[in-house]
Amino acid sequence: SPYQPVIEALGNYPQKKFYNVSKLGGAKYDTLPYSIRVLFESSIRNCDGFLVKETDAMNILDWKTKQNNVEVPFCPARVVLQDFTGIPAMVDFAAMREAVRNAGGDPVKVNPACPTDLTVDHSLQIDFSKWPETVLKNQEMEFGRNRERLQFFKWSSKVFKNISIIPPETGMAHQVNLEYLSRVVFEVKDFLYPDSVVGTDSHTTMVNGLGILGWGVGGIETEAVMLGMPVTLTLPEVVGCELAGTASPLATSIDIVLSITKHLRQADVAGKFVEFFGSGVSQLSVADRTTIANMCPEYGAILSFFPVDNVTLKHLKHTGFDKAKLEVMEAYLKAVKLFRNDESSSREPEYSQVVQISLSSIVPYVSGPKRSQDRVAVNNMKSDFQACLNEKSGLKGFQIAVEKQNDIVPVQYEGNEYKLSHGCIVIAAVISCTNNCNPSVMLAAGLLAKKAVEAGLVVKPYIRTSLSPGSGMVTHYLSSSGVLPYLSKLGFEVVGYGCSTCVGNTAPLPEAIRNAIKQGDIIACGVLSGSKNVEGRLCDCVRANYLASPPLVVAYAIAGTVRIDFETEPLGTGFNGKNIYLRDIWPTRKELHAVEEECVISSMFKEMKEKMEKGNKRWNLLEAPESTLFPWDLKSTYIRCPSFFDKLAKEPVSPQPIENAYILLYLGDSVTTDHISPAGSIARSSAAAKYLTNKGLTPREFNSYGARRGNDAVMTRGTFANIKLLNKFIGKPAPKTIHFPSGQTLDVFEAAELYQKEGIPVIILAGKKYGLGSSRDWAAKGPFLLGVKAVLAESYEKIHKSQLIGIGIAPLQFLPGENPSTLGLTGREQFSILFPPELSPGMTLDIKTSTGKVFSVIALFENNMEITLYKYGGSLNFVARRF
């Protein structure tokens, strides 16, 4: 690096060395947002004149004038994988070893270059609920049906260097990342630098609440980082979010999150960094901060950053950080000016814009019934749901005829009769992905349950209740505080650790309840403490889903309906026929703080670390091969060697023309990666189910798409298999399309398979904001294996656009003001696209249709690196050739 002279010893710790980027940057550095300072330090430390250049560092230092105008590389300190996207990454590494061996190289050299941690507990599928031994039974089932995957992970832990596998039955990736993997400051051979991370999950952003710069990227981009490539991003705007005031005693961190989500959506922070400052920040615990940071994908930001301050240090002390290490950490962060001084007189950085939010204006909210950004004040919930019944079918409405809005459907269940009506709750889940890292809201749910049980309140038995903590630590403090038995009595049994209800992995609704909902056309509801509430995601017969804080999930489960005014109507009848209101059982902040002080202590974190280090008996006894190359089992339905590296390019090739391509799918606006990438359970009528059935499996053995991400045959068949996919060729939600040469209406996979057998290329036609959301790697890999050569859309979600390039699919965009309608396209034409020998960023291409129409589109290659990756057939092939 040309910056060797700025290496210094750290004050009272002369053996500790670091790059004094504050001294190097001077006055410009002092005005940078804290998050940009982390980018600057990384560019200095990794400057090699090739992947990271001196000009990159200077562009970051000139952030004020260069934001939005230049692309800069970022080399994170580490990578975090969860098994949903971690297993295809490791399968790709195993396949890469095969390809390197076949090309005459040394497969032993294929290892992650960036330190990588992989957790195995993400793809939980719940089989048992309301059983005293629920956790044990689910763990046994998970270990049994996932043995092949676990053996592959065990093999990976043995043969690959620089990767750590976190064994099953430990905790969720984001939770473990916070509690165990986060360093805040890295120390390698007495050299200090800031912790930073990219991960294969949108909830990676939780670590920003600890002052660790990190965000979620797709599996393809993550694999490139693992192989030593930097993440490339446009130098972002940084929105300063000033928090002031004090929140209402009834408002939880979830209420604060939903309020901030609304404000930041309105401020248009998409593709930007958000950085928090102001007097209100110091009033938020680290748990509150991580909850807020975790939600940033829902308001479109790349990340939401809370700089390290005294609150952070206090939290780290309580979680078992060594005192001497904390002292070095504080000294280092202050030396490089990455420590936030919470004094009002301290100078704040300069921001692209400032958004001001008063915490005192925040009241309890839920969010729904179909989108996380549609907030509803709890005291308006009853009237808002009524409005949804009246409103035309769409983003909020269900268009129920007035004369049917009070329909009641009687149903027999477990020997008793119940009455279902619009707004009845059939799913209530306290789940792991958003707020279980926050002890206050989890304890609030437990204390509310305790008071409810003591008052004589119950939950109707047909409501599918579950509790899926983010880690064993949460279970520990719920148990030690004495509230876990009360949650269990209301049906909120701990079912395990991992994604469950919000991705559709939950025990099915009772058949009688499903039939009653469908026969009566009832708008049934789910209430969950997660971050995803897309219609149909929880269950195909549950049309209204609300996000709520854990205590409100419990409260609504007791009420049994969302058509309730908590201020004036009781939750139910307790002992002696007494009406019990929410205010009677809602825990006060004083109660919460008392329990939190007593239960959320360093011993819990110590127990977590001991558990991580010891692993578990089943994992320790699991046998796995130790061969350099993985011994692929051709009969396996979990692990297959993918075809991505079959034609490993040694040199770049000129882009091939796309001739006479048919449109595989004609899609509208806001098509998410949930619509594209396989997730959740495998429908029995799907192409993936047919494949597994032909392999001799029964529906009970299908498991989930998440568990089968290591099998490209299953994942390709699950691409575009979402039941809510709206293909304009079909005219109604269904995972179907038309194979135009034959005129048949087929599953998307079956049509794509026919096109490939006929040697006919296909492209996708879409509207605005194509590729929103998470689960990004297979949202690109799946279409690639379906034979998709290009996507033509009005606009793209930026990360998905990069993922398409990373796999070798051309992202094309209509000219401003143009779309299929304005151009008179039906989607039934054939399309031909000629690429010139030399591509250039943002160049215009001509498309000719079989009807003779010619129109121009923009090739969304933003820089020469993206063009290079595309010419090599995507980033995986580009980085594989280094071996």
Side-chain angles (χ1 to χ4, degrees):
S1 167
Y3 300 110
Q4 290 292 344
V6 299
I7 294 180
E8 292 187 4
L10 181 65
N12 296 328
Y13 309 93
Q15 76 278 16
K16 309 294 183 184
K17 303 295 191 297
F18 70 105
Y19 280 112
N20 195 334
V21 290
S22 173
K23 181 182 293 186
L24 175 67
K28 285 185 178 180
Y29 182 88
D30 293 343
T31 66
L32 291 177
Y34 290 95
S35 50
I36 301 299
R37 296 178 194 184
V38 178
L39 292 182
F40 181 62
E41 191 281 338
S42 175
S43 68
I44 297 299
R45 180 166 37 87
N46 292 287
C47 184
D48 60 2
F50 177 60
L51 292 175
V52 183
K53 301 176 182 177
E54 182 178 345
T55 53
D56 296 320
M58 293 303 100
N59 282 335
I60 296 173
L61 188 61
D62 288 332
W63 168 82
K64 188 174 181 180
T65 59
K66 296 293 180 66
Q67 57 186 288
N68 281 336
N69 293 323
V70 298
E71 294 230 342
V72 295
F74 173 54
C75 298
R78 58 190 174 93
V79 168
V80 168
L81 306 173
Q82 35 87 332
D83 62 347
F84 267 168
T85 44
I87 195 161
M90 298 316 300
V91 166
D92 286 349
F93 265 74
M96 204 178 298
R97 282 196 164 194
E98 293 277 352
V100 168
R101 189 274 308 269
N102 294 339
D106 182 2
V108 175
K109 293 181 178 179
V110 180
N111 293 288
C114 183
T116 301
D117 300 297
L118 190 156
T119 64
V120 183
D121 264 347
H122 206 78
S123 60
L124 170 70
Q125 181 169 321
I126 300 171
D127 295 278
F128 304 98
S129 61
K130 302 185 180 180
W131 288 33
E133 63 274 24
T134 295
V135 174
L136 179 61
K137 283 185 172 291
N138 277 315
Q139 288 175 349
E140 289 175 352
M141 287 292 293
E142 284 290 289
F143 207 91
R145 68 168 149 248
N146 291 316
R147 180 172 293 274
E148 284 185 56
R149 293 194 315 126
L150 295 176
Q151 286 177 324
F152 176 76
F153 281 135
K154 194 74 177 281
W155 171 80
S156 298
S157 70
K158 290 181 177 181
V159 303
F160 288 114
K161 298 177 182 178
N162 222 14
I163 186 165
S164 173
I165 306 289
I166 310 302
E169 303 173 23
T170 301
M172 290 280 287
H174 5 291
Q175 191 81 15
V176 173
N177 193 15
L178 281 173
E179 297 167 9
Y180 182 74
L181 302 176
S182 293
R183 283 80 153 176
V184 184
V185 171
F186 251 81
E187 183 175 331
V188 178
K189 297 180 180 179
D190 286 330
F191 193 86
L192 304 172
Y193 53 96
D195 190 1
S196 58
V197 61
V198 295
T200 53
D201 195 277
S202 58
H203 302 295
T204 304
T205 53
M206 291 175 79
V207 297
N208 289 281
L210 270 178
I212 299 169
L213 195 72
W215 64 94
V217 297
I220 298 167
E221 194 169 11
T222 303
E223 289 179 47
V225 173
M226 291 168 68
L227 287 162
M229 294 281 288
V231 175
T232 301
L233 74 160
T234 301
L235 194 59
E237 295 180 40
V238 181
V239 177
C241 185
E242 182 177 12
L243 302 180
T246 304
S248 159
L250 292 180
T252 68
S253 60
I254 303 306
D255 301 313
I256 295 172
V257 165
L258 296 177
S259 180
I260 289 174
T261 297
K262 179 182 178 182
H263 280 87
L264 294 180
R265 273 194 181 277
Q266 292 173 340
D268 187 20
V269 297
K272 304 173 185 178
F273 285 6
V274 175
E275 192 165 292
F276 291 87
F277 71 100
S279 60
V281 174
S282 298
Q283 298 175 37
L284 300 177
S285 68
V286 167
D288 290 331
R289 297 175 186 191
T290 54
T291 307
I292 292 167
N294 181 53
M295 202 70 169
C296 80
E298 306 304 322
Y299 46 79
I302 297 174
L303 56 86
S304 294
F305 192 71
F306 288 85
V308 175
D309 60 8
N310 288 320
V311 175
T312 318
L313 294 181
K314 184 178 179 181
H315 169 82
L316 294 173
K317 181 180 179 181
H318 288 158
T319 58
F321 261 67
D322 178 73
K323 182 180 178 181
K325 185 176 181 179
L326 279 175
E327 290 175 352
V328 171
M329 180 189 300
E330 182 177 0
Y332 167 73
L333 292 172
K334 288 181 176 178
V336 294
K337 298 182 180 178
L338 284 173
F339 190 88
R340 175 183 172 271
N341 189 333
D342 54 9
E343 295 178 3
S344 58
S345 59
S346 62
R347 180 183 177 185
E348 299 291 355
E350 295 180 2
Y351 295 107
S352 308
Q353 68 181 98
V354 172
V355 176
Q356 296 176 321
I357 299 176
S358 172
L359 297 179
S360 56
S361 67
I362 297 173
V363 296
Y365 281 91
V366 297
S367 182
K370 301 180 184 182
R371 303 189 303 174
S372 59
Q373 65 264 37
D374 292 331
R375 298 190 315 156
V376 184
V378 172
N379 55 7
N380 293 333
M381 180 65 159
K382 184 175 182 179
S383 59
D384 187 82
F385 185 78
Q386 184 64 42
C388 291
L389 294 180
N390 289 320
E391 194 171 324
K392 183 179 179 181
S393 293
L395 297 178
K396 284 203 70 169
F398 297 104
Q399 200 171 355
I400 302 298
V402 174
E403 64 272 15
K404 292 183 175 294
Q405 291 181 8
N406 294 315
D407 283 359
I408 293 175
V409 180
V411 59
Q412 291 288 328
Y413 181 68
E414 293 185 348
N416 294 307
E417 182 176 279
Y418 299 94
K419 296 178 180 180
L420 301 185
S421 59
H422 296 299
C424 64
I425 291 171
V426 294
I427 294 176
V430 177
I431 62 175
S432 53
C433 68
T434 297
N435 47 59
N436 292 5
C437 65
N438 192 317
S440 66
V441 292
M442 295 300 291
L443 288 171
L447 287 174
L448 187 144
K450 181 176 184 291
K451 291 186 175 186
V453 170
E454 290 172 344
L457 296 176
V458 296
V459 174
K460 293 179 178 66
Y462 62 78
I463 297 176
R464 186 62 73 204
T465 49
S466 62
L467 171 59
S468 176
S471 75
M473 190 189 77
V474 182
T475 305
H476 177 89
Y477 68 66
L478 289 176
S479 178
S480 62
S481 63
V483 299
L484 194 58
Y486 296 97
L487 285 164
S488 298
K489 286 181 180 179
L490 293 180
F492 290 93
E493 294 279 358
V494 177
V495 295
Y497 309 105
C499 274
S500 53
T501 304
C502 80
V503 295
N505 287 345
T506 189
L509 294 180
E511 196 69 25
I513 302 301
R514 290 177 62 91
N515 292 339
I517 292 171
K518 292 181 178 180
Q519 290 169 8
D521 195 25
I522 296 295
I523 306 299
C525 300
V527 183
L528 61 151
S529 60
S531 62
K532 301 288 194 305
N533 62 332
V534 180
E535 183 179 3
R537 185 171 176 130
L538 272 65
C539 176
D540 59 2
C541 67
V542 179
R543 295 161 64 184
N545 298 311
Y546 289 92
L547 307 181
S549 64
L552 280 177
V553 171
V554 178
Y556 275 113
I558 294 169
T561 180
V562 299
R563 299 172 85 174
I564 181 174
D565 183 343
F566 286 136
E567 287 289 327
T568 61
E569 298 177 74
L571 288 174
T573 304
F575 296 125
N576 302 320
K578 181 183 177 182
N579 284 338
I580 308 297
Y581 293 83
L582 180 60
R583 57 180 173 269
D584 298 327
I585 61 173
W586 190 270
T588 66
R589 284 185 180 274
K590 184 177 180 180
E591 290 174 303
L592 283 172
H593 288 159
V595 176
E596 204 167 359
E597 284 293 321
E598 182 179 344
C599 302
V600 186
I601 54 177
S602 59
S603 62
M604 293 184 300
F605 289 88
K606 181 181 179 181
E607 181 179 332
M608 160 66 75
K609 291 180 180 180
E610 289 175 351
K611 183 177 180 181
M612 298 279 277
E613 289 162 3
K614 291 193 304 185
N616 65 67
K617 185 176 181 180
R618 280 189 289 262
W619 172 261
N620 293 339
L621 294 176
L622 185 67
E623 295 183 357
E626 299 186 16
S627 54
T628 299
L629 301 177
F630 185 71
W632 307 99
D633 181 358
L634 298 181
K635 297 179 181 179
S636 173
T637 58
Y638 278 98
I639 307 295
R640 262 179 41 125
C641 186
S643 60
F644 300 122
F645 306 105
D646 287 354
K647 298 178 181 179
L648 189 61
K650 294 183 179 180
E651 300 294 337
V653 295
S654 297
Q656 298 300 303
I658 301 172
E659 298 179 341
N660 298 318
Y662 276 108
I663 301 296
L664 180 64
L665 292 161
Y666 184 3
L667 306 172
D669 296 340
S670 300
V671 172
T672 70
T673 48
D674 271 355
H675 292 104
I676 308 169
S677 179
S681 58
I682 298 173
R684 296 188 181 189
S685 60
S686 66
K690 296 174 187 175
Y691 168 82
L692 294 172
T693 300
N694 289 336
K695 292 288 185 179
L697 274 64
T698 65
R700 184 178 179 81
E701 299 170 304
F702 285 174
N703 211 325
S704 65
Y705 283 115
R708 294 190 179 275
R709 279 180 175 246
N711 185 323
D712 62 294
V714 172
M715 297 300 288
T716 306
R717 286 164 172 80
T719 303
F720 293 112
N722 190 297
I723 61 172
K724 294 298 179 182
L725 180 75
L726 183 56
N727 179 8
K728 294 185 179 183
F729 294 146
I730 304 301
K732 62 180 181 180
K736 301 284 185 179
T737 196
I738 298 174
H739 175 254
F740 288 108
S742 67
Q744 299 179 80
T745 297
L746 302 169
D747 286 338
V748 176
F749 171 79
E750 292 171 343
E753 188 178 38
L754 272 181
Y755 281 126
Q756 291 194 66
K757 287 179 179 178
E758 296 160 346
I760 301 174
V762 293
I763 62 177
I764 290 170
L765 202 58
K768 301 181 182 69
K769 298 181 180 180
Y770 180 76
L772 292 169
S774 56
S775 301
R776 299 182 184 116
D777 62 329
W778 270 100
K781 286 180 175 178
F784 174 81
L785 293 178
L786 287 176
V788 174
K789 303 299 182 184
V791 176
L792 177 55
E794 292 182 63
S795 63
Y796 292 82
E797 196 271 347
K798 181 178 174 61
I799 295 180
H800 182 63
K801 185 271 298 183
S802 299
Q803 294 296 299
L804 292 175
I805 294 172
I807 200 64
I809 296 175
L812 309 177
Q813 183 169 292
F814 289 102
L815 297 179
E818 293 186 352
N819 58 48
S821 296
T822 64
L823 294 170
L825 302 175
T826 67
R828 297 171 179 267
E829 305 91 344
Q830 287 182 273
F831 295 73
S832 295
I833 308 167
L834 181 64
F835 293 91
E838 293 298 325
L839 298 175
S840 59
M843 71 182 305
T844 300
L845 304 175
D846 287 336
I847 296 182
K848 182 178 181 180
T849 73
S850 55
T851 61
K853 181 181 291 293
V854 178
F855 61 96
S856 298
V857 297
I858 302 168
L860 291 186
F861 301 109
E862 296 185 20
N863 51 57
N864 288 324
M865 174 56 92
E866 288 190 342
I867 292 171
T868 300
L869 296 180
Y870 181 70
K871 285 186 173 183
Y872 274 101
S875 61
L876 296 188
N877 275 284
F878 178 76
V879 294
R881 65 181 287 275
R882 65 178 288 182
F883 298 111

